[in-house]
């Protein structure tokens, strides 16, 4: 009886080892996060990769997530072991950011503040683009470019607006003559401060269009903020 239990234990151990070898595939993504103006690597930025069942250019159900922080050269490497089965997985690599316009995202991570994400390519971020089974040991390259930002603190606290009144605020990078953010506010429903990102050390044209009772007034303001700098603007009639 003792030999029988020993055989079962050894057999189970071997089966477990073989199961791990069969059931695990490896995926590696590496790249660099650089400063848009200087081209230098940016250290200390978290990069994330998640994977799951593909759907509609993204992921339907997330199966796993891993992350890595860029080193002193702005480089990162993520190595993921994932279960190999009949499902086809899609991997997406990203920085935590909220969508703006013209490939400019506002970074939202708490580890590094006051930066914008200005370069990201879908074909690099997503693998595979067309659903297919990736080979074991697949290597993916994915780079990002970021830019420090300052903020305009838009204040709606001193408002007495009608529900139909609107305020449109858009920002244009004057070095590229490129609009990168355009937001429509309803002052009567907007509360507190809204942080509006402005690329740091780059002249930026801020255009405010106030519409009250069908009449529109346009206000233009040129800003040149430092990284992390904040200036206040109270939007009123």
């Amino acid at each position: 009886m003792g030999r029988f239990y020993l055989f079962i234990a050894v057999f189970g151990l071997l089966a477990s080892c073989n199961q791990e070898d069969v059931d695990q595939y490896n995926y590696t993504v590496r790249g660099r996060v650089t400063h848009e103006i200087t081209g230098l690597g940016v250290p200390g930025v978290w990069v994330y990769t998640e994977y799951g069942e593909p759907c509609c250019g993204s992921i339907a159900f997330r199966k796993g997530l891993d992350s890595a922080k860029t080193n002193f050269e702005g480089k990162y490497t993520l190595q993921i072991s994932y279960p190999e089965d009949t499902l086809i997985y899609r991997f997406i690599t990203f920085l935590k950011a909220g969508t703006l316009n013209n490939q400019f995202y506002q970074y939202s991570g708490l580890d590094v503040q006051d930066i914008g994400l200005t370069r990201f390519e879908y074909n690099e971020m997503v693998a595979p683009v067309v659903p297919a089974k990736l080979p074991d040991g697949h290597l993916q390259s994915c780079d990002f470019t970021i830019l420090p930002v300052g903020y305009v603190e838009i204040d709606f606290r001193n408002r007495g607006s009608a529900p139909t009144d609107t305020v449109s605020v858009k920002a244009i990078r004057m070095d590229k003559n490129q609009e990168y953010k355009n937001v429509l506010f309803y002052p009567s429903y907007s509360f507190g401060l809204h942080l509006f990102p402005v690329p740091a050390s780059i002249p930026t044209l801020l255009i405010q269009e106030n519409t009250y009772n069908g009449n529109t007034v346009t206000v233009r303001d040129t800003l040149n903020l430092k990284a992390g700098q904040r200036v206040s603007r109270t939007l009123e009639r």
Side-chain angles (χ1 to χ4, degrees), residues 4 40 177:
F4 177 77
L40 298 176
N177 192 30

Side-chain angles (χ1 to χ4, degrees), residues 150-235:
Y151 296 96
V152 179
E153 296 180 338
I154 299 176
D155 187 357
F156 290 105
R157 287 179 295 183
N158 298 323
R159 67 190 183 282
S161 307
T164 55
D165 294 340
T166 61
V167 176
S168 171
V169 183
K170 65 181 178 181
I172 298 174
R173 286 181 56 167
M174 298 180 70
D175 63 330
K176 294 186 175 183
N177 192 30
Q178 179 187 71
E179 178 184 312
Y180 69 87
K181 186 173 175 76
N182 192 333
V183 179
L184 181 65
F185 297 99
Y186 290 85
S188 61
Y189 299 108
S190 300
F191 299 92
L193 296 177
H194 176 84
L195 293 181
F196 196 101
V198 175
S201 303
I202 295 176
T204 300
L205 177 61
L206 201 68
I207 302 176
Q208 171 188 333
E209 293 184 346
N210 303 341
T211 300
Y212 297 104
N213 297 320
N215 299 314
T216 301
V217 176
T218 302
V219 179
R220 295 171 177 263
D221 194 3
T222 300
L223 302 170
N224 196 342
L225 303 184
K226 298 178 181 178
Q229 181 182 356
R230 299 191 179 196
V231 297
S232 298
R233 294 292 185 274
T234 299
L235 302 189

Side-chain angles (χ1 to χ4, degrees), residues 9-24:
V10 172
F11 178 81
L13 179 60
L14 292 175
S16 176
C17 292
N18 291 335
Q19 187 76 10
E20 290 180 3
D21 292 339
V22 171
D23 286 353
Q24 294 296 316

Side-chain angles (χ1 to χ4, degrees), residues 2 19 21 32 34 41 50 55 63 66 70-71 74 82 86-87 96 107 133 139 145 174 176 207 213 216 221 235:
Q19 187 76 10
D21 292 339
R32 195 174 186 218
T34 56
E50 66 179 6
C55 176
K63 297 291 186 178
D66 205 348
T70 56
N71 64 13
Y82 64 100
T86 57
L87 294 176
K96 290 184 176 179
Y107 187 78
K133 202 176 199 63
L139 175 62
T145 302
M174 298 180 70
K176 294 186 175 183
I207 302 176
N213 297 320
T216 301
D221 194 3
L235 302 189

